[in-house]
Amino acid sequence: MNRFKTSKFKNTTPKVAKKDGWINNVRAGSFSCQGNHIKASSKLVAFNTEQAGGGMLGLSSLKPASDGQWTVTHISCHSDLVTDMDFSPFDESLLATCSGDETVKLWRLCDPELQPPSSPELTLRPGQGRLELVLFHPTSSGLLAVGATKGPLIWDTGRQDAPLAVLEQHGDQLHSLSWKPDGSLLASSCKDKMLRVFDPRAQLTPVQSAKSLQNNKDSRILWAKDDLLLTTGFDMMRSREVRLWDSRKLSSSVGSASLGTSNGMLIPLFDEDTGLLVLAGKGDTAIDCFEVSASEPFFSQVSHCLTDISTRGAAVVPKVALDVLSCEVMRVLQLTDGCVVPISYQVPRKNSNQEFHEDLYPDTVGTTPAMSAEEWWKGGNKQVEKVGLNPNKQHKTKAAPAKKKEPASGGSKGDPARGCSTSSSPLSTGSSGSAAASRSPSSTSGLSSSFLPGPGPSQSARPIPVMLGQTSKFRHIQGAVMHRDTHITNLRGLNLTTPGESNGFCVNRQRVAVPLAISGGQIAICERSQRGRLPDTALPTIQNSVNVVDLTWDPFNTHRLAVAGDDAKIRVWKVPEGGLKETLTEPEVLLQGHTEKIYSIEFHPLASGILASSSYDLTVRLWNLEAEEQVKLLTGHQDQIFCMAWSPDGKLLATVCKDGKVRIYEPRKSTAPVQEGAGPEGHRGARVVWVCEGKYLLVSGFDSRSERRLCLYSADSLSSGAIAATNIDTSPSTLIPFYDPDTSVVILTAKGDTRVHIYEIATEEPYFMECSSFNSAEPHKGLAFLPKSECNVRDVEIAVGLILTKTAVEPVAFRVPRVKKEFFQDDLYTDTAVCWEPALTASGWLSGSNGQHRKISLKPKDMTPVSEAPKEAPVRKYLPSSVYLEEKTDEQKKDELLSAMVAKLGNMDDPLPQDSFEGVDEDEWDD
C-alpha cells in the first residue's frame, strides 16, 4: 500500500452482532494446546468444549434455523483433549481433528439438528506421541500437514499406512504451521525461537531457517501475500507483537507492530484478497484489525473492536459465506466461555444492500481442488480456479445426476435421512460437480446456497420455553442494605486477615461474633438486639488466648460458640444470657487431637453436639461435645483441605482439597472416602456446598487461568467429573457460597468484594440461571446469613444476611419484586425446615440413627396465599385496534375535524368573560 494512496479498506468497521445473533449454549473449555479452538466452513462451526475432558467438540450451523435459533450438538471425537481441527477447503462438511490420544480423525459432519456421526470416516495413527496441529492443503484434496510435538508430517489420506514425509525434528515444542497459498511450501514456528520454511517434495530439512523470534512463549505463523510471512508472539520485554518477514531471508523482519503487554497469545486471521489482518488475543476483550502491505507502512491499523466477553478462540468465515451486498469483506467468529459471537467487518458505501461493489471483491479461491494428493506429491503445481462473488454473475455448475443407492439400515454413513454426505472417501471430497454446485454462492445474497436454512424435522414442535431459554423467577431479585438504625457501628480493631478457609465472622439469631486484631485472640460478641453505635470504651470479649483460625455458632444453641485456634485446639465457649458482661477467659470445653493448625470447623446439621474439624495434618476429625472426645478420624487427603460440608440429611461429609479432588465420606461406616472425583483446576482455594436436596455438590473455585468458577457435580457419580460449570470473573478471593434449600438460590461473594453474585441452581440445562447481583457501597469483609424465619415475608424477603465492613455490621435483605405484596407469596415460600432445633442426639447419630427436621410454614395468620387471591377482571387500558384501523368516510373525517376545531375555540353560546364583570350604578356616573 503506497503511503500517499488512500486504501479503500481504511474505514472498514467491525460490527458485533446483537445478542440474539449469538450462538449460545456453548461451554468452551480452557485448554493448553496450540490450536485456535474454533473453525468454520461455509456451513458449519466446530469448537472445543470442556465436556469429556476436552475430547468432545461442539457443532453448530453458521446460520440460524428458520425459527431464529441455533442448535448446538456435541460429537465425541477423541479419548483425550482435541488439540486442533480444520475444515477441508473443498468440502464444507469434512472436518479433520487431532488429539492428545495420538490420532488424527476425519469426520463427515451432518446438520447439527440431526444425529451426529458416531464414528470417523478415517483414523490415522502417526505414532509420534501427542499431536498438536492439523492443516488441510490449500490446493490438493486429501492432503494433510500434521504437527506432532517436535515436528511436522505430510500425510496422504488415501495412503493410511504411512506419511508421505516426516520432516526434520524441531528443537522444542512446535507452535504453529502454515501452508503457502499456492501449496508449495510449509512454514513453522517453534519454542526454540526458530522460523523454518520447508519444501516437503524437495527435502526433509528446511530450505530456509533462522533464529528470528525474540521470546520462546507461544507464537503463530501465517503466509501473507506472495513470499511474505506473518508471525505473532512476544518480544524480549514480553510485549505482544506482530512481524512481517520475507520468507527468502528470515534473519530479520521487514516490519513490525507492538500491541502492548498481556499474557494472552495473539491469534492471527488473514484475508489474502483484502490484505486485512485480524488479531484476537486469548483472554482479551479487544480485537484489532490491520491492513498489511509489502511496503511501508507495513501495518496500518484499521479498527480496534471492544467486545463484552473475553476471547477463548477465533476463526474466520470463508469468503463465499459473506454477505457481499452489505459490503461485508470479512467475518470473524469469537469463541467465548458461553457463546460464539459473530463480528462482521463492513466497508461503508453508498447504496449498500442494493448493489454489488466489485472493487471490494476480487475473484477469490474456489472450492474445487486443483489436483489430488498424489499429483501434488509428483510435482504438480496447479492452482485452484478462482470464482467471482457477484451474485448477479454466478457461474452455474451443472449438477451430476444422483446415483441410485440401495436402501441403508438406520445409522449408516450413507443414510440420507441423517442428512450426511454419502461420499465414502476423503479423497473424493469436493471433486464432484454436485458438491461444487452446492457450495457456490447464492444468487441473491452472496451466501452459500447450502448455507440457507431449511425447516428442521422438529422445529415447529419446539415449545416456546425451549426456544426462549429457561429463566429464573428470582432473576429480578434485589439486595438492599437495611436502615442505618438496624446497624451495629463503631466496631474497632477488627481482625481482617483471617485465613481463606474461614468466613471471617459468624452470626445467629441473637448475636454476632467477630475476631479482633488484639493479642490473645480476642473475640467481640455483639447482641443483635443492641443496635446502634458501640461505646468508645473497651468492651468485654472472649479471650481465646491464641489467634483465631475459624469460628462458628452451634446451630441448636445460640449461646455456644466453637473457636478453632492456630495451636491445633478447639475451644467451646458459652456466652451468658443477655450477652457478655465481663471478659471470658475459660472455655466450657477444650478439644485436643489435631497435631497441626486447624483449617475449619463445621457443626452437624441434625445432631446436637457433633462437630467436624479439618487440619494441616491432612485429617478430618469428628468430636462429641457432650462427651468432650474425638469419635471419628477421616483420612485420604494429600494436601490442604479447603472446605468441608455436611449433607442435608447428615449422613455424608464432602470435602474439597488442594490436591485437586472432591471427596465424599460416610463417617459412620468408613474412614476413607466412599467417592472421589476431579475438583477445580486452580489451587488458590475452593468451597463446597450441597444443593438440590443433597443430590448435587456445588464447588466454588478457580480454573487453570485463575478465573473464579462454579462447578456442579452429581453426588452419585463424582468420578464422572462436573456436569456443568460456569466462569464468574477474575479475582484472587474465593467465592463463599450460601445456599437456600427452599428456593435453590445460591448467593456468593468473597472477602474484599463489593459484588454479591446470585444464581438459581437447576438439575438440568442451563443448570446456572443468573439473577440480578447486589453491589455494596464499599468492600465487605464477610457475609453471613440468618435462618429463614428471620425473613420478612410481607416484604417478600427470601434471605437476610449481615455484612461485615471495617467498622460496622449491616443487615442486608434480598427481596423478590412482586405486585400483590399484600398476599403471601406461597410460590416462593415452601415449608421451611426448623434448622434451629436438633433432630438427633450425638449418641443417637453415632449409633446409626437418622432423622430430619420438622418443617413449618412461614405464612402469617392474617395473610392469604397469592394462589388463593381473587381473580381480577382484566381492565382494557387501550381501545381495541379495530377502532383505530376502522375505515372512515370523507364526511366522517370532515365532521371529526370540525368538531376538534370547535372544541378548541369553545362554545359560541357561552357568555363572554366581560359579561360577568361587576359594573357600577348609573347614578354613580354623575359624581
Side-chain angles (χ1 to χ4, degrees), residues 156-197:
D156 179 359
T157 56
R159 298 171 53 186
Q160 304 177 24
D161 52 342
L164 290 176
V166 179
L167 303 182
E168 182 184 64
Q169 289 283 299
H170 291 47
D172 210 324
Q173 170 73 50
L174 179 64
H175 281 165
S176 67
L177 293 172
S178 178
W179 285 107
K180 192 174 182 181
D182 64 8
S184 61
L185 301 175
L186 180 69
S188 70
S189 67
C190 180
K191 192 175 181 180
D192 62 6
K193 304 181 185 180
M194 296 281 289
L195 296 182
R196 297 172 174 88
V197 176

Side-chain angles (χ1 to χ4, degrees), residues 673-684:
V674 294
Q675 281 199 73
E676 188 174 294
E681 299 175 6
H683 302 295
R684 287 190 173 184

Side-chain angles (χ1 to χ4, degrees), residues 596-649:
E596 295 189 44
K597 187 172 75 172
I598 295 171
Y599 291 129
S600 59
I601 53 178
E602 191 77 24
F603 273 102
H604 195 278
L606 295 173
S608 62
I610 295 292
L611 180 70
S613 62
S614 63
S615 165
Y616 275 81
D617 60 19
L618 307 185
T619 65
V620 174
R621 300 172 189 251
L622 303 190
W623 309 87
N624 184 347
L625 300 189
E626 310 306 329
E628 301 183 14
E629 63 181 7
Q630 175 185 312
V631 291
K632 298 289 179 183
L633 175 65
L634 309 181
T635 59
H637 297 92
Q638 305 299 319
D639 208 328
Q640 178 183 352
I641 304 167
F642 286 139
C643 181
M644 55 186 178
W646 288 100
S647 62
D649 59 9

Side-chain angles (χ1 to χ4, degrees), residues 86 188 210 236 273 300 371 482 539 657 663 676 709 869 873 920:
D86 193 28
S188 70
M236 290 184 291
D273 296 340
S300 303
M371 53 192 160
M482 296 186 185
L539 296 173
C657 182
R663 296 175 174 88
E676 188 174 294
R709 185 176 181 85
V920 296

Side-chain angles (χ1 to χ4, degrees), residues 826-875:
D826 52 346
D827 61 322
L828 301 183
Y829 297 105
T830 59
D831 289 352
T832 192
V834 184
C835 58
W836 52 91
E837 294 180 359
L840 294 166
T841 62
S843 57
W845 182 81
L846 290 170
S847 63
S849 299
N850 295 313
Q852 59 182 8
H853 289 300
R854 66 183 181 91
K855 292 192 174 184
I856 59 172
S857 172
L858 296 177
K859 185 181 81 67
K861 294 181 179 179
D862 59 342
M863 291 187 76
T864 303
V866 71
S867 60
E868 301 176 9
K871 304 296 182 183
E872 297 180 359
V875 178

Side-chain angles (χ1 to χ4, degrees), residues 375-685:
E375 290 173 328
W376 176 83
W377 183 246
K378 290 179 178 179
N381 285 311
K382 296 179 183 178
Q383 297 302 301
V384 177
E385 183 181 353
K386 292 195 173 185
V387 296
L389 295 177
N390 189 340
N392 299 318
K393 299 179 181 179
Q394 287 299 324
H395 173 69
K396 304 291 184 179
T397 305
K398 185 176 180 181
K403 296 182 179 179
K404 187 176 180 180
K405 296 192 295 250
E406 296 293 330
S409 59
S412 69
K413 288 186 288 186
D415 187 355
R418 287 180 53 183
C420 297
S421 168
T422 57
S423 174
S424 60
S425 170
L427 289 175
S428 64
T429 59
S431 58
S432 67
S434 59
S438 68
R439 289 187 300 276
S440 62
S442 168
S443 60
T444 56
S445 65
L447 297 175
S448 170
S449 59
S450 62
F451 182 61
L452 299 176
S458 59
Q459 289 174 7
S460 60
R462 294 176 69 184
I464 291 177
V466 172
M467 294 190 290
L468 297 180
Q470 188 176 357
T471 58
S472 170
K473 58 185 172 185
F474 304 101
R475 63 187 179 277
H476 299 304
I477 190 171
Q478 299 172 350
V481 176
M482 296 186 185
H483 193 272
R484 187 173 175 82
D485 292 344
T486 64
H487 298 185
I488 300 173
T489 60
N490 199 33
L491 281 170
R492 296 184 174 188
L494 299 185
N495 182 4
L496 304 179
T497 59
T498 52
E501 292 76 30
S502 170
N503 291 350
F505 79 122
C506 61
V507 304
N508 62 25
R509 290 178 295 165
Q510 295 183 2
R511 46 189 60 91
V512 182
V514 183
L516 301 177
I518 303 174
S519 60
Q522 297 190 41
I523 303 170
I525 303 296
C526 304
E527 298 293 313
R528 291 190 58 226
S529 59
Q530 298 174 6
R531 306 182 180 106
R533 181 182 175 87
L534 296 176
D536 294 335
T537 57
L539 296 173
T541 60
I542 293 176
Q543 289 193 353
N544 197 57
S545 72
V546 296
N547 290 334
V548 175
V549 177
D550 196 17
L551 70 171
T552 182
W553 290 104
D554 188 332
F556 313 123
N557 186 343
T558 56
H559 300 277
R560 184 152 66 176
L561 178 70
V563 180
D566 60 6
D567 61 351
K569 298 176 183 178
I570 300 173
R571 295 167 174 83
V572 181
W573 302 86
K574 184 176 180 180
V575 179
E577 191 71 38
L580 291 181
K581 305 301 181 184
E582 59 183 6
T583 298
L584 294 183
T585 57
E586 290 297 326
E588 183 182 43
V589 177
L590 180 64
L591 303 175
Q592 301 183 66
H594 284 295
T595 58
E596 295 189 44
K597 187 172 75 172
I598 295 171
Y599 291 129
S600 59
I601 53 178
E602 191 77 24
F603 273 102
H604 195 278
L606 295 173
S608 62
I610 295 292
L611 180 70
S613 62
S614 63
S615 165
Y616 275 81
D617 60 19
L618 307 185
T619 65
V620 174
R621 300 172 189 251
L622 303 190
W623 309 87
N624 184 347
L625 300 189
E626 310 306 329
E628 301 183 14
E629 63 181 7
Q630 175 185 312
V631 291
K632 298 289 179 183
L633 175 65
L634 309 181
T635 59
H637 297 92
Q638 305 299 319
D639 208 328
Q640 178 183 352
I641 304 167
F642 286 139
C643 181
M644 55 186 178
W646 288 100
S647 62
D649 59 9
K651 298 178 182 179
L652 305 173
L653 181 71
T655 66
V656 58
C657 182
K658 193 176 181 179
D659 62 9
K661 299 288 186 182
V662 180
R663 296 175 174 88
I664 294 179
Y665 290 84
E666 195 167 357
R668 292 178 295 183
K669 294 184 179 181
S670 173
T671 60
V674 294
Q675 281 199 73
E676 188 174 294
E681 299 175 6
H683 302 295
R684 287 190 173 184

